[in-house]
Amino acid sequence: MKKIKPIDDTAARLGIIMCNARRRCHLSHDDASKLLNIMPNELLEYERGIAKIPADVLERAIVLGYQMMRINTLESIYKRQRNVFRKLKAVVAEMP
């Protein structure tokens, strides 16, 4: 089997980063391709550096990442507020 050479170093590095990110999120090729609105074989080509990642696919991946970071931020704020309210409730319950 002949090894396919990446089209350039940048495409290869972006593909590796995309692959690592997908694996860290525990996503299969099918699930990740659905999120990015592409076919699984296209994702595989991008991850291997065989094809350049189109700007719209890259933009969707970045937007999804920013949305997840925003959700994590909101979740941490919510958890802090919930803990404050629990402590207040406990203090109020101890009052005569």
Coordinates of all heavy atoms in Angstrom, one line a residue:
M1 N 0.8 -1.2 0.0 CA 0.0 0.0 0.0 C 0.9 1.2 0.0 O 1.8 1.4 0.8 CB -0.9 0.0 1.2 CG -1.9 1.1 1.3 SD -2.9 0.8 2.8 CE -4.0 2.0 2.7
K2 N 0.6 2.1 -0.9 CA 1.4 3.3 -1.1 C 1.0 4.4 -0.1 O -0.2 4.6 0.1 CB 1.2 3.9 -2.5 CG 2.1 5.1 -2.8 CD 1.9 5.5 -4.2 CE 2.7 6.8 -4.5 NZ 2.5 7.3 -5.8
K3 N 1.9 5.0 0.6 CA 1.6 6.0 1.6 C 1.3 7.3 0.9 O 2.0 7.7 0.0 CB 2.8 6.2 2.6 CG 2.5 7.1 3.7 CD 3.7 7.2 4.7 CE 3.3 8.1 5.8 NZ 4.4 8.2 6.8
I4 N 0.2 7.9 1.3 CA -0.3 9.1 0.7 C 0.5 10.3 1.3 O 0.5 10.4 2.6 CB -1.8 9.3 0.8 CG1 -2.5 8.1 0.1 CG2 -2.2 10.6 0.2 CD1 -4.0 8.1 0.3
K5 N 1.1 11.1 0.5 CA 1.8 12.3 1.1 C 0.9 13.5 1.3 O 0.0 13.8 0.5 CB 2.9 12.7 0.1 CG 3.8 13.8 0.5 CD 4.9 14.1 -0.5 CE 5.7 15.3 0.0 NZ 6.6 15.7 -1.0
P6 N 1.0 14.1 2.4 CA 0.2 15.3 2.7 C 0.5 16.4 1.6 O 1.6 16.5 1.1 CB 0.7 15.8 4.1 CG 1.4 14.7 4.7 CD 1.9 13.8 3.5
I7 N -0.5 17.2 1.4 CA -0.4 18.2 0.3 C 0.6 19.3 0.7 O 1.3 19.9 -0.1 CB -1.7 18.9 -0.1 CG1 -2.5 19.3 1.1 CG2 -2.5 17.9 -0.9 CD1 -3.8 20.1 0.8
D8 N 0.6 19.7 2.0 CA 1.7 20.6 2.5 C 1.7 20.5 4.0 O 0.9 19.8 4.7 CB 1.4 22.1 2.1 CG 0.1 22.6 2.6 OD1 -0.5 22.1 3.5 OD2 -0.3 23.7 2.0
D9 N 2.7 21.1 4.6 CA 2.9 21.0 6.1 C 1.8 21.6 6.9 O 1.4 21.1 7.9 CB 4.2 21.6 6.5 CG 5.4 20.8 6.0 OD1 5.3 19.6 5.8 OD2 6.5 21.4 5.9
T10 N 1.3 22.7 6.4 CA 0.2 23.4 7.1 C -1.1 22.5 7.2 O -1.7 22.4 8.2 CB -0.1 24.7 6.5 OG1 1.1 25.5 6.4 CG2 -1.2 25.5 7.3
A11 N -1.4 22.0 6.0 CA -2.6 21.1 6.0 C -2.4 19.9 6.9 O -3.3 19.4 7.5 CB -2.9 20.7 4.5
A12 N -1.2 19.3 6.9 CA -0.9 18.2 7.7 C -1.0 18.5 9.2 O -1.6 17.8 10.0 CB 0.5 17.6 7.4
R13 N -0.5 19.7 9.6 CA -0.5 20.1 11.0 C -2.0 20.4 11.4 O -2.4 19.9 12.5 CB 0.3 21.3 11.2 CG 1.8 20.9 11.4 CD 2.6 22.1 11.8 NE 3.1 22.7 10.6 CZ 3.3 24.0 10.4 NH1 3.1 24.8 11.4 NH2 3.7 24.5 9.3
L14 N -2.8 21.1 10.6 CA -4.2 21.3 10.9 C -4.9 20.0 11.0 O -5.8 19.9 11.9 CB -4.8 22.2 9.8 CG -4.4 23.7 9.9 CD1 -5.0 24.4 8.7 CD2 -4.9 24.3 11.2
G15 N -4.6 19.1 10.1 CA -5.3 17.8 10.2 C -5.0 17.0 11.4 O -5.9 16.4 12.1
I16 N -3.8 17.1 11.9 CA -3.4 16.4 13.1 C -4.1 17.0 14.3 O -4.6 16.4 15.2 CB -1.8 16.4 13.3 CG1 -1.2 15.5 12.2 CG2 -1.4 16.0 14.7 CD1 0.3 15.6 12.1
I17 N -4.1 18.3 14.3 CA -4.8 19.1 15.4 C -6.3 18.7 15.4 O -6.9 18.5 16.5 CB -4.6 20.6 15.2 CG1 -3.1 20.9 15.5 CG2 -5.5 21.4 16.2 CD1 -2.7 22.3 15.1
M18 N -6.9 18.7 14.2 CA -8.3 18.3 14.1 C -8.5 16.9 14.7 O -9.5 16.6 15.4 CB -8.8 18.4 12.7 CG -9.9 19.3 12.4 SD -10.2 19.4 10.7 CE -11.9 19.3 10.7
C19 N -7.7 16.0 14.3 CA -7.8 14.6 14.7 C -7.6 14.5 16.2 O -8.4 13.8 16.9 CB -6.8 13.7 14.0 SG -6.9 12.0 14.4
N20 N -6.6 15.2 16.8 CA -6.4 15.1 18.2 C -7.6 15.7 19.0 O -8.0 15.2 20.0 CB -5.1 15.8 18.6 CG -3.9 15.1 18.1 OD1 -3.9 13.9 17.9 ND2 -2.8 15.8 18.0
A21 N -8.1 16.8 18.5 CA -9.3 17.4 19.1 C -10.5 16.5 19.1 O -11.2 16.4 20.1 CB -9.6 18.7 18.4
R22 N -10.7 15.8 18.0 CA -11.8 14.9 17.9 C -11.7 13.8 18.9 O -12.6 13.4 19.5 CB -11.9 14.4 16.4 CG -13.0 13.3 16.2 CD -13.0 12.8 14.8 NE -11.8 12.1 14.5 CZ -11.4 10.9 14.9 NH1 -12.2 10.2 15.7 NH2 -10.3 10.4 14.5
R23 N -10.5 13.2 19.0 CA -10.2 12.1 19.9 C -10.3 12.5 21.3 O -10.9 11.8 22.2 CB -8.8 11.6 19.6 CG -8.7 10.8 18.4 CD -7.3 10.2 18.1 NE -7.3 9.5 16.9 CZ -6.1 9.1 16.3 NH1 -5.0 9.5 16.9 NH2 -6.1 8.5 15.2
R24 N -9.9 13.8 21.7 CA -10.0 14.2 23.1 C -11.5 14.4 23.4 O -11.8 14.3 24.6 CB -9.3 15.6 23.2 CG -7.8 15.4 23.3 CD -7.1 16.7 23.5 NE -7.3 17.0 24.9 CZ -7.0 18.2 25.4 NH1 -6.4 19.1 24.6 NH2 -7.2 18.5 26.7
C25 N -12.3 14.7 22.5 CA -13.8 14.8 22.7 C -14.5 13.5 22.6 O -15.7 13.4 22.8 CB -14.4 15.8 21.7 SG -13.9 17.5 21.9
H26 N -13.7 12.4 22.4 CA -14.3 11.1 22.2 C -15.4 11.0 21.2 O -16.5 10.4 21.4 CB -14.8 10.6 23.6 CG -13.8 10.6 24.7 ND1 -12.8 9.7 24.7 CD2 -13.7 11.4 25.7 CE1 -12.0 10.0 25.8 NE2 -12.5 11.0 26.4
L27 N -15.1 11.6 20.0 CA -16.1 11.6 18.9 C -15.6 10.7 17.8 O -14.4 10.6 17.5 CB -16.2 13.0 18.3 CG -16.9 14.1 19.1 CD1 -16.8 15.4 18.4 CD2 -18.4 13.7 19.3
S28 N -16.5 10.0 17.3 CA -16.2 9.1 16.1 C -16.1 10.0 14.9 O -16.6 11.1 14.9 CB -17.3 8.0 15.9 OG -18.5 8.6 15.6
H29 N -15.6 9.4 13.8 CA -15.6 10.2 12.5 C -17.0 10.5 12.1 O -17.2 11.7 11.6 CB -14.9 9.3 11.4 CG -13.4 9.4 11.5 ND1 -12.7 8.4 12.0 CD2 -12.6 10.3 11.0 CE1 -11.4 8.7 11.9 NE2 -11.3 9.9 11.3
D30 N -17.9 9.6 12.3 CA -19.3 9.9 11.9 C -19.9 11.1 12.7 O -20.5 12.0 12.1 CB -20.2 8.7 12.0 CG -19.8 7.6 11.1 OD1 -19.3 7.9 10.0 OD2 -20.1 6.4 11.4
D31 N -19.7 11.0 14.0 CA -20.3 12.1 14.8 C -19.7 13.5 14.5 O -20.3 14.5 14.4 CB -20.1 11.8 16.3 CG -21.0 10.6 16.7 OD1 -22.0 10.3 16.0 OD2 -20.6 9.9 17.7
A32 N -18.3 13.5 14.4 CA -17.6 14.7 14.1 C -18.0 15.3 12.7 O -18.2 16.5 12.6 CB -16.1 14.5 14.2
S33 N -18.2 14.4 11.8 CA -18.5 14.9 10.4 C -20.0 15.4 10.4 O -20.3 16.3 9.7 CB -18.4 13.7 9.4 OG -19.2 12.7 9.7
K34 N -20.9 14.8 11.2 CA -22.2 15.4 11.3 C -22.2 16.8 11.9 O -22.9 17.7 11.5 CB -23.1 14.5 12.2 CG -23.5 13.2 11.5 CD -24.3 12.3 12.4 CE -24.6 11.0 11.8 NZ -25.3 10.0 12.7
L35 N -21.4 17.0 13.0 CA -21.3 18.3 13.6 C -20.7 19.4 12.6 O -21.1 20.5 12.6 CB -20.3 18.3 14.8 CG -20.9 17.6 16.0 CD1 -19.8 17.5 17.1 CD2 -22.0 18.4 16.6
L36 N -19.8 18.9 11.7 CA -19.2 19.8 10.8 C -19.9 19.9 9.4 O -19.5 20.6 8.5 CB -17.7 19.4 10.5 CG -16.8 19.6 11.8 CD1 -15.5 18.9 11.5 CD2 -16.7 21.0 12.2
N37 N -21.0 19.1 9.3 CA -21.8 19.1 8.0 C -21.0 18.7 6.8 O -21.0 19.3 5.8 CB -22.5 20.4 7.8 CG -23.5 20.8 8.8 OD1 -24.1 19.9 9.4 ND2 -23.6 22.1 9.1
I38 N -20.1 17.6 7.0 CA -19.3 17.1 5.9 C -19.5 15.6 5.9 O -20.0 15.0 6.9 CB -17.8 17.5 6.0 CG1 -17.3 17.0 7.4 CG2 -17.7 19.0 5.8 CD1 -15.8 17.3 7.5
M39 N -19.0 14.9 4.9 CA -19.0 13.5 4.8 C -17.8 12.9 5.6 O -16.7 13.6 5.7 CB -18.9 13.0 3.4 CG -20.0 13.5 2.5 SD -21.6 12.8 3.0 CE -21.4 11.1 2.7
P40 N -18.0 11.7 6.2 CA -16.9 11.1 7.0 C -15.6 11.0 6.2 O -14.5 11.2 6.8 CB -17.4 9.8 7.5 CG -18.9 9.9 7.4 CD -19.2 10.9 6.3
N41 N -15.7 10.6 5.0 CA -14.4 10.5 4.2 C -13.7 11.8 4.0 O -12.5 11.8 3.9 CB -14.7 9.7 2.8 CG -15.7 10.5 2.0 OD1 -16.4 11.4 2.4 ND2 -15.7 10.2 0.7
E42 N -14.5 12.9 3.9 CA -13.9 14.2 3.8 C -13.1 14.5 5.1 O -11.9 15.0 5.0 CB -14.9 15.3 3.5 CG -15.6 15.2 2.2 CD -16.7 16.3 2.0 OE1 -17.5 16.3 2.9 OE2 -16.7 17.0 1.0
L43 N -13.7 14.3 6.2 CA -13.0 14.5 7.5 C -11.7 13.7 7.6 O -10.7 14.2 8.0 CB -13.9 14.1 8.6 CG -13.3 14.3 10.0 CD1 -12.9 15.8 10.3 CD2 -14.3 13.8 11.1
L44 N -11.8 12.4 7.1 CA -10.6 11.6 7.1 C -9.5 12.2 6.2 O -8.3 12.2 6.6 CB -11.0 10.2 6.6 CG -9.9 9.1 6.8 CD1 -9.6 8.9 8.3 CD2 -10.4 7.8 6.3
E45 N -9.8 12.7 5.1 CA -8.9 13.3 4.2 C -8.3 14.6 4.8 O -7.1 14.8 4.7 CB -9.5 13.7 2.9 CG -9.8 12.5 2.0 CD -10.5 12.9 0.7 OE1 -10.8 14.1 0.5 OE2 -10.8 12.0 -0.1
Y46 N -9.1 15.4 5.5 CA -8.6 16.6 6.2 C -7.6 16.2 7.3 O -6.6 16.8 7.5 CB -9.7 17.4 6.8 CG -10.7 17.9 5.8 CD1 -12.0 18.1 6.1 CD2 -10.4 18.1 4.4 CE1 -13.0 18.5 5.2 CE2 -11.3 18.6 3.5 CZ -12.6 18.8 3.9 OH -13.6 19.2 3.0
E47 N -8.0 15.2 8.1 CA -7.2 14.8 9.2 C -5.8 14.2 8.8 O -4.8 14.3 9.5 CB -7.9 13.7 10.1 CG -9.0 14.4 10.9 CD -9.7 13.4 11.8 OE1 -9.4 12.1 11.7 OE2 -10.6 13.8 12.6
R48 N -5.8 13.5 7.7 CA -4.6 13.0 7.1 C -3.7 14.0 6.4 O -2.6 13.7 5.9 CB -4.9 11.8 6.2 CG -5.4 10.6 7.0 CD -5.6 9.4 6.1 NE -6.1 8.3 6.9 CZ -6.5 7.2 6.4 NH1 -6.5 7.0 5.0 NH2 -6.9 6.2 7.1
G49 N -4.3 15.2 6.1 CA -3.6 16.2 5.4 C -3.6 16.0 3.9 O -2.8 16.6 3.2
I50 N -4.5 15.1 3.4 CA -4.5 14.8 2.0 C -5.2 15.9 1.2 O -4.9 16.3 0.1 CB -5.3 13.5 1.7 CG1 -4.5 12.3 2.4 CG2 -5.5 13.2 0.3 CD1 -5.3 11.1 2.5
A51 N -6.2 16.6 1.9 CA -7.0 17.7 1.3 C -6.9 18.9 2.2 O -6.8 18.7 3.4 CB -8.4 17.3 1.0
K52 N -6.9 20.1 1.6 CA -7.0 21.3 2.4 C -8.3 21.4 3.1 O -9.3 21.1 2.4 CB -6.6 22.5 1.6 CG -5.2 22.6 1.2 CD -4.9 23.9 0.5 CE -3.4 24.0 0.2 NZ -3.1 25.3 -0.4
I53 N -8.3 21.9 4.3 CA -9.6 22.1 5.0 C -10.2 23.4 4.5 O -9.6 24.5 4.6 CB -9.4 22.3 6.5 CG1 -8.7 21.0 7.0 CG2 -10.7 22.5 7.2 CD1 -8.2 21.1 8.4
P54 N -11.4 23.4 3.9 CA -12.1 24.6 3.4 C -12.4 25.6 4.6 O -12.5 25.2 5.7 CB -13.4 24.1 2.8 CG -13.2 22.6 2.6 CD -12.2 22.2 3.7
A55 N -12.4 26.8 4.2 CA -12.6 27.9 5.2 C -13.9 27.7 6.0 O -13.9 27.9 7.2 CB -12.6 29.2 4.5
D56 N -15.0 27.3 5.3 CA -16.3 27.1 6.0 C -16.2 26.0 7.0 O -16.8 26.1 8.1 CB -17.4 27.0 5.0 CG -17.3 25.7 4.2 OD1 -16.2 25.4 3.8 OD2 -18.3 25.0 4.0
V57 N -15.5 24.9 6.8 CA -15.4 23.8 7.7 C -14.6 24.3 8.9 O -14.9 24.0 10.1 CB -14.8 22.6 7.0 CG1 -14.5 21.5 8.0 CG2 -15.7 22.1 5.9
L58 N -13.5 24.9 8.6 CA -12.6 25.4 9.7 C -13.4 26.4 10.6 O -13.3 26.4 11.8 CB -11.4 26.1 9.1 CG -10.2 26.3 10.0 CD1 -9.7 25.1 10.7 CD2 -9.0 26.9 9.2
E59 N -14.2 27.3 9.9 CA -14.9 28.3 10.7 C -16.0 27.6 11.6 O -16.1 27.9 12.8 CB -15.7 29.2 9.7 CG -16.4 30.3 10.4 CD -17.1 31.2 9.4 OE1 -16.9 31.1 8.2 OE2 -17.9 32.1 9.9
R60 N -16.6 26.5 11.1 CA -17.6 25.8 11.9 C -16.9 25.1 13.1 O -17.5 25.1 14.2 CB -18.3 24.7 11.1 CG -19.5 25.2 10.3 CD -20.4 24.1 9.8 NE -19.7 23.3 8.8 CZ -19.7 23.5 7.5 NH1 -20.3 24.6 7.0 NH2 -19.1 22.7 6.7
A61 N -15.8 24.6 12.9 CA -15.0 23.9 14.0 C -14.7 24.9 15.0 O -14.8 24.6 16.2 CB -13.8 23.2 13.4
I62 N -14.2 26.1 14.6 CA -13.8 27.1 15.6 C -15.0 27.7 16.3 O -15.0 27.8 17.6 CB -13.0 28.2 14.9 CG1 -11.7 27.7 14.4 CG2 -12.9 29.4 15.8 CD1 -10.9 28.6 13.5
V63 N -16.1 27.9 15.6 CA -17.4 28.4 16.2 C -17.9 27.4 17.3 O -18.3 27.7 18.4 CB -18.4 28.7 15.2 CG1 -19.8 28.9 15.8 CG2 -18.0 29.9 14.4
L64 N -17.9 26.1 16.9 CA -18.3 25.1 17.9 C -17.4 25.1 19.1 O -17.9 24.9 20.2 CB -18.3 23.7 17.2 CG -19.4 23.4 16.2 CD1 -19.1 22.1 15.5 CD2 -20.7 23.4 16.8
G65 N -16.1 25.3 18.9 CA -15.2 25.3 20.1 C -15.5 26.5 21.0 O -15.5 26.4 22.2
Y66 N -15.7 27.7 20.4 CA -16.0 28.9 21.1 C -17.3 28.7 21.9 O -17.5 29.1 23.0 CB -16.1 30.1 20.3 CG -14.7 30.7 20.0 CD1 -14.4 31.1 18.7 CD2 -13.7 30.8 20.9 CE1 -13.1 31.6 18.4 CE2 -12.5 31.4 20.7 CZ -12.2 31.8 19.4 OH -11.0 32.3 19.1
Q67 N -18.3 28.1 21.3 CA -19.6 27.9 21.9 C -19.4 26.9 23.1 O -20.0 27.2 24.2 CB -20.6 27.2 21.0 CG -21.1 28.2 19.9 CD -22.0 27.6 18.9 OE1 -22.1 26.4 18.7 NE2 -22.7 28.4 18.1
M68 N -18.6 25.9 23.0 CA -18.4 25.0 24.1 C -17.6 25.7 25.3 O -17.9 25.5 26.4 CB -17.6 23.8 23.7 CG -18.4 22.8 22.8 SD -20.0 22.3 23.5 CE -19.5 21.5 24.9
M69 N -16.7 26.6 24.9 CA -16.0 27.3 25.9 C -16.9 28.3 26.7 O -16.9 28.4 27.9 CB -14.8 28.1 25.3 CG -13.6 27.2 24.9 SD -12.2 28.1 24.5 CE -12.7 29.0 23.0
R70 N -17.8 28.9 25.9 CA -18.8 29.8 26.6 C -19.8 29.0 27.5 O -20.1 29.4 28.6 CB -19.6 30.5 25.4 CG -20.7 31.4 25.9 CD -20.2 32.6 26.6 NE -21.3 33.5 26.9 CZ -21.3 34.2 28.0 NH1 -20.2 34.3 28.8 NH2 -22.3 35.0 28.3
I71 N -20.2 27.8 27.1 CA -21.0 27.0 27.9 C -20.3 26.6 29.2 O -20.9 26.6 30.3 CB -21.5 25.7 27.1 CG1 -22.5 26.1 26.0 CG2 -22.1 24.7 28.0 CD1 -22.9 25.1 25.0
N72 N -19.0 26.2 29.1 CA -18.2 25.9 30.3 C -18.1 27.0 31.2 O -18.2 26.9 32.4 CB -16.9 25.3 29.9 CG -16.9 24.0 29.3 OD1 -17.8 23.2 29.5 ND2 -15.9 23.6 28.5
T73 N -17.9 28.2 30.7 CA -17.9 29.4 31.5 C -19.2 29.7 32.2 O -19.2 29.9 33.4 CB -17.5 30.7 30.6 OG1 -16.3 30.4 30.0 CG2 -17.4 31.9 31.5
L74 N -20.3 29.6 31.5 CA -21.6 29.8 32.1 C -21.9 28.7 33.2 O -22.4 29.0 34.2 CB -22.7 29.8 31.1 CG -22.7 31.0 30.1 CD1 -23.7 30.8 29.0 CD2 -22.9 32.3 30.8
E75 N -21.4 27.5 32.9 CA -21.7 26.4 33.9 C -20.9 26.7 35.2 O -21.4 26.5 36.3 CB -21.3 25.1 33.3 CG -21.5 23.9 34.2 CD -21.2 22.6 33.5 OE1 -20.4 22.6 32.5 OE2 -21.6 21.6 34.0
S76 N -19.6 27.2 35.1 CA -18.9 27.4 36.3 C -19.5 28.6 37.1 O -19.5 28.6 38.3 CB -17.4 27.7 35.9 OG -17.3 28.9 35.2
I77 N -20.0 29.6 36.4 CA -20.6 30.7 37.1 C -21.9 30.2 37.8 O -22.1 30.6 39.0 CB -21.0 31.8 36.1 CG1 -19.7 32.5 35.5 CG2 -21.9 32.9 36.7 CD1 -20.0 33.5 34.4
Y78 N -22.7 29.4 37.1 CA -23.9 28.8 37.7 C -23.5 28.0 39.0 O -24.2 28.1 40.0 CB -24.6 27.9 36.7 CG -25.7 27.1 37.3 CD1 -26.9 27.6 37.7 CD2 -25.5 25.7 37.5 CE1 -27.9 26.8 38.3 CE2 -26.4 24.9 38.1 CZ -27.6 25.5 38.5 OH -28.6 24.7 39.0
K79 N -22.5 27.2 38.9 CA -22.1 26.3 40.1 C -21.6 27.2 41.2 O -22.0 26.9 42.4 CB -20.9 25.4 39.7 CG -21.4 24.2 38.8 CD -20.2 23.3 38.5 CE -20.6 22.2 37.6 NZ -19.5 21.3 37.2
R80 N -20.9 28.3 41.0 CA -20.5 29.2 42.1 C -21.7 29.8 42.7 O -21.8 29.9 44.0 CB -19.5 30.3 41.6 CG -18.1 29.8 41.5 CD -17.2 30.9 41.1 NE -17.4 31.0 39.6 CZ -17.0 32.0 38.9 NH1 -16.4 33.0 39.4 NH2 -17.2 32.0 37.6
Q81 N -22.7 30.3 41.9 CA -23.9 30.9 42.4 C -24.7 29.9 43.2 O -25.2 30.3 44.3 CB -24.7 31.5 41.3 CG -24.1 32.8 40.7 CD -24.9 33.3 39.5 OE1 -25.7 32.6 39.0 NE2 -24.5 34.5 39.1
R82 N -24.8 28.7 42.8 CA -25.5 27.7 43.5 C -24.9 27.4 44.8 O -25.7 27.2 45.8 CB -25.6 26.4 42.6 CG -26.5 25.3 43.2 CD -26.5 24.1 42.3 NE -25.1 23.6 42.2 CZ -24.7 22.7 41.3 NH1 -25.6 22.3 40.4 NH2 -23.5 22.2 41.3
N83 N -23.6 27.3 44.9 CA -23.0 27.1 46.2 C -23.2 28.3 47.1 O -23.4 28.0 48.3 CB -21.5 26.9 46.0 CG -21.1 25.5 45.4 OD1 -21.9 24.6 45.4 ND2 -20.0 25.5 44.7
V84 N -23.2 29.5 46.7 CA -23.5 30.6 47.5 C -24.9 30.5 48.1 O -25.1 30.8 49.3 CB -23.3 32.0 46.7 CG1 -23.8 33.2 47.5 CG2 -21.8 32.2 46.4
F85 N -25.9 30.2 47.2 CA -27.2 30.1 47.7 C -27.4 29.0 48.7 O -28.2 29.1 49.6 CB -28.2 29.9 46.5 CG -28.4 31.2 45.7 CD1 -28.2 31.2 44.3 CD2 -28.7 32.4 46.3 CE1 -28.4 32.3 43.6 CE2 -28.9 33.6 45.6 CZ -28.7 33.5 44.2
R86 N -26.7 27.9 48.5 CA -26.8 26.8 49.5 C -26.3 27.2 50.8 O -26.8 26.9 51.9 CB -26.0 25.6 49.0 CG -26.7 24.8 47.9 CD -25.9 23.6 47.5 NE -26.6 22.9 46.4 CZ -26.0 21.9 45.7 NH1 -24.8 21.6 45.8 NH2 -26.7 21.3 44.7
K87 N -25.1 27.9 50.8 CA -24.6 28.4 52.1 C -25.5 29.4 52.7 O -25.7 29.4 54.0 CB -23.2 29.1 51.8 CG -22.1 28.1 51.5 CD -20.8 28.8 51.2 CE -19.8 27.8 50.8 NZ -18.5 28.4 50.4
L88 N -26.1 30.3 52.0 CA -27.1 31.2 52.5 C -28.3 30.5 53.1 O -28.8 30.9 54.2 CB -27.6 32.2 51.5 CG -26.6 33.3 51.1 CD1 -27.1 34.1 49.9 CD2 -26.3 34.2 52.2
K89 N -28.8 29.5 52.4 CA -29.9 28.7 52.9 C -29.6 28.0 54.2 O -30.4 28.0 55.1 CB -30.3 27.7 51.8 CG -31.6 26.9 52.2 CD -31.9 26.0 51.0 CE -33.1 25.2 51.3 NZ -33.5 24.2 50.2
A90 N -28.4 27.5 54.3 CA -28.0 26.9 55.6 C -27.9 27.9 56.7 O -28.3 27.6 57.8 CB -26.6 26.2 55.4
V91 N -27.4 29.1 56.4 CA -27.3 30.1 57.5 C -28.7 30.5 57.9 O -29.0 30.7 59.1 CB -26.5 31.3 56.9 CG1 -26.6 32.5 57.9 CG2 -25.0 31.0 56.7
V92 N -29.6 30.7 57.0 CA -31.0 31.1 57.3 C -31.7 30.0 58.1 O -32.4 30.3 59.0 CB -31.8 31.4 56.0 CG1 -33.2 31.6 56.3 CG2 -31.2 32.7 55.4
A93 N -31.4 28.7 57.8 CA -32.0 27.6 58.5 C -31.5 27.5 59.9 O -32.2 27.1 60.8 CB -31.7 26.3 57.8
E94 N -30.3 28.0 60.2 CA -29.7 28.0 61.6 C -30.2 29.1 62.4 O -30.1 29.1 63.6 CB -28.2 28.0 61.5 CG -27.6 26.8 60.9 CD -26.1 26.9 60.8 OE1 -25.5 28.0 61.1 OE2 -25.4 25.9 60.3
M95 N -30.8 30.1 61.8 CA -31.3 31.3 62.6 C -32.5 30.9 63.4 O -33.3 30.1 62.9 CB -31.5 32.5 61.7 CG -30.3 33.0 61.0 SD -30.7 34.3 59.8 CE -30.6 35.7 60.9
P96 N -32.7 31.5 64.6 CA -33.8 31.1 65.4 C -35.1 31.7 64.9 O -35.4 32.5 64.2 CB -33.5 31.7 66.8 CG -32.4 32.6 66.6 CD -31.8 32.4 65.3

